[in-house]
Amino acid sequence: MASSGEEPGSGSQDRVGTGTEPVPAAEAAPLDTAEDFEVLEEEEEEEEDDDLSELPPLEDVARPPAPPREDAQPPERGGGDAPGDPQEWLDVLGSGLLKKKTLVPGQGVDTRPQKGQDVTIRLKATLEDGTVVEEDPALTFTLGDCDVLQALDLCVQLLEMGETALIVSDAKYCYGAQGRSPDIPPNASLTLEVELLAARDAPDLELLSGKEKIHLANRKRERGNYFYQQADYVLAINSYDIALRIIGSNSKVDFSPDEEAELLDVKVKCLNNLAASQLKLDHYKAALKSCNLVLEHQPENIKALFRKGKVLAQQGEYREAIPILKAALKLEPSNKTIHAELSKLVKKHADQRNVETEMYRKMLGNPSASGTPRKCKDKLPWSIPWKWLFGATAIALGGVALSVVIAARN
């Protein structure tokens, strides 16, 4: 689908267009640094109100630019020139961080591509000092799917067919604070020279072969992994959601059992990483749903069990979380991260029970266990002193004896 369409892990993954760093063959990058044991694998909610997958992935673009003035000077072609006449530049977002200028006019507004189409562009990217960091004669991607740098996704939809434009972008819409080692430093602005070569409708998902669907879903999943590693969890969710929609789409083509199994494997990996992203954003209900979907297919999936336990723990449901983590630990007894998480939850649960016990004691008015011990047991309100009882008995007996004597005298 994209000209960056080499197999996952190939050298094309570090291009400016895709914005994806190359990933080691073993996929050793942890999905949750320090606190999580999951690893991004090589092949690694849609209706919920709290699921971010329906949020628009990109900022709204500005309205199309007004026609150029008749007296405007023709712009000079150049790769890294600073913006000149403000009238020649379109402030795409209204913030001054992303600007576009036409170098060669296109074929008219009606030829602009639409979101969801596959577009092909010629790309040249340079740093502020003029260093060329990328050249691609035919980069193809799906417009609006966040397959490429946001600067391209936002601006290419404003290009006319055959138009060549200069785009000056802040690092926020390129590689951000992390940059791209070794050629793009952190917080680096880029100047992109772009020519729109072609635009066509994306392929019909129902007509994709098994291998084509697997490849397309994997590309979206890998893009989600890239965003996760960049700590951009909203865009990661967007990419995982697109991959899941591709996998779940109807098909008019028969798949082999191996292809069905591979599609299920990609689905499980997307759901697991979707749950991780939702957990990072504290979207617990959506994350729990993603974990449960994994467990429906694979009840002993350790990652899903571990994340479900974490979700429940984050909600304070320690009693429910502990047996789930115990089940994960039983499947992988040597996993230190599960051990640590389980130990932490057991302690929190014990603390929670102590707090509840003390609260109930106060509510019922019972003395605290730490209070001063009483010197003797409380006397019952109906108890009678033994001395008084003895005296009363003696008086009664004396009264009876006196009555007998009086009766005898009479």
Side-chain angles (χ1 to χ4, degrees):
M1 173 170 160
S3 65
S4 55
E6 290 87 348
E7 291 298 319
S10 66
S12 70
Q13 296 299 316
D14 61 349
R15 298 190 303 188
V16 166
T18 60
T20 306
E21 294 293 326
V23 183
E27 289 290 341
L31 207 61
D32 280 320
T33 306
E35 63 179 10
D36 203 344
F37 74 97
E38 289 82 353
V39 173
L40 274 171
E41 300 170 90
E42 180 63 29
E43 304 293 336
E44 293 245 358
E45 333 206 337
E46 298 146 7
E47 298 108 82
E48 294 289 345
D49 292 338
D50 59 348
D51 190 343
L52 290 183
S53 59
E54 293 301 322
L55 292 180
L58 300 172
E59 301 181 45
D60 292 332
V61 298
R63 302 295 300 172
R69 299 177 307 172
E70 295 183 0
D71 59 343
Q73 296 296 321
E76 296 182 2
R77 188 185 184 95
D81 296 338
D85 184 355
Q87 296 297 326
E88 297 178 357
W89 289 85
L90 169 66
D91 189 349
V92 177
L93 301 175
S95 62
L97 300 180
L98 185 63
K99 296 183 179 181
K100 167 191 171 289
K101 179 171 71 172
T102 299
L103 299 179
V104 177
Q107 300 171 13
V109 175
D110 293 340
T111 64
R112 288 178 174 175
Q114 303 296 316
K115 287 185 177 181
Q117 287 188 313
D118 286 352
V119 297
T120 301
I121 62 171
R122 176 184 63 80
L123 172 68
K124 178 181 178 181
T126 59
L127 298 174
E128 289 181 300
D129 62 4
T131 302
V132 177
V133 292
E134 190 65 43
E135 285 190 275
D136 194 324
L139 172 64
T140 301
F141 59 94
T142 303
L143 190 60
D145 273 12
C146 300
D147 291 342
V148 292
L149 299 179
Q150 286 195 56
L152 289 174
D153 230 344
L154 287 165
C155 293
V156 169
Q157 58 188 294
L158 301 176
L159 296 181
E160 300 171 4
M161 191 59 59
E163 177 181 351
T164 299
L166 205 60
I167 299 168
V168 177
S169 173
D170 183 78
K172 177 180 180 181
Y173 303 104
C174 297
Y175 285 92
Q178 298 188 29
R180 187 189 71 179
S181 179
D183 54 349
I184 300 178
N187 299 309
S189 298
L190 290 181
T191 298
L192 311 172
E193 185 178 302
V194 181
E195 179 183 1
L196 180 58
L197 302 176
R200 58 187 177 278
D201 291 338
D204 189 342
L205 296 179
E206 292 186 347
L207 301 178
L208 292 179
S209 68
K211 290 187 180 297
E212 289 172 332
K213 182 171 279 194
I214 291 167
H215 176 67
L216 181 58
N218 258 326
R219 286 187 57 251
K220 304 299 182 180
R221 177 191 60 78
E222 289 170 352
R223 188 63 178 164
N225 292 352
Y226 166 77
F227 284 127
Y228 188 99
Q229 292 167 338
Q230 296 290 108
D232 198 335
Y233 305 116
V234 173
L235 292 184
I237 287 173
N238 178 75
S239 294
Y240 294 136
D241 184 64
I242 293 173
L244 290 169
R245 282 192 271 120
I246 292 170
I247 295 169
S249 62
N250 295 327
S251 179
K252 297 178 180 179
V253 180
D254 292 331
F255 298 156
S256 69
D258 288 344
E259 289 171 339
E260 292 281 5
E262 193 169 353
L263 277 171
L264 178 59
D265 184 57
V266 178
K267 178 180 180 179
V268 166
K269 289 169 182 174
C270 286
L271 285 170
N272 259 328
N273 286 352
L274 178 62
S277 302
Q278 292 162 335
L279 187 57
K280 288 290 188 181
L281 295 172
D282 297 338
H283 281 238
Y284 301 129
K285 186 177 180 181
L288 189 61
K289 177 183 177 182
S290 299
C291 293
N292 286 334
L293 287 173
V294 174
L295 295 173
E296 286 179 10
H297 297 293
Q298 298 179 358
E300 294 188 345
N301 186 289
I302 297 177
K303 294 181 181 182
L305 289 170
F306 181 80
R307 288 203 175 103
K308 183 175 181 177
K310 290 196 69 173
V311 170
L312 292 171
Q314 291 290 341
Q315 295 177 301
E317 304 291 344
Y318 303 126
R319 182 176 300 177
E320 291 79 4
I322 288 173
I324 293 174
L325 288 179
K326 285 182 177 179
L329 190 61
K330 185 176 180 180
L331 294 170
E332 195 170 319
S334 62
N335 193 297
K336 295 181 180 179
T337 306
I338 303 179
H339 268 290
E341 187 71 19
L342 185 56
S343 299
K344 182 171 64 176
L345 291 192
V346 169
K347 183 179 183 304
K348 286 185 177 180
H349 189 215
D351 293 342
Q352 183 185 62
R353 293 177 63 183
N354 290 337
V355 170
E356 291 175 351
T357 301
E358 183 63 26
M359 179 182 67
Y360 294 145
R361 181 181 290 115
K362 290 180 179 179
M363 289 173 60
L364 297 173
N366 291 340
S368 172
S370 60
T372 304
R374 305 286 291 268
K375 293 184 178 179
C376 59
K377 294 182 179 180
D378 291 337
K379 297 179 180 179
L380 295 177
W382 45 265
S383 61
I384 303 174
W386 67 271
K387 292 182 179 180
W388 184 90
L389 182 61
F390 179 78
T393 303
I395 293 173
L397 292 174
V400 172
L402 181 61
S403 298
V404 171
V405 172
I406 294 175
R409 289 179 179 179
N410 292 336

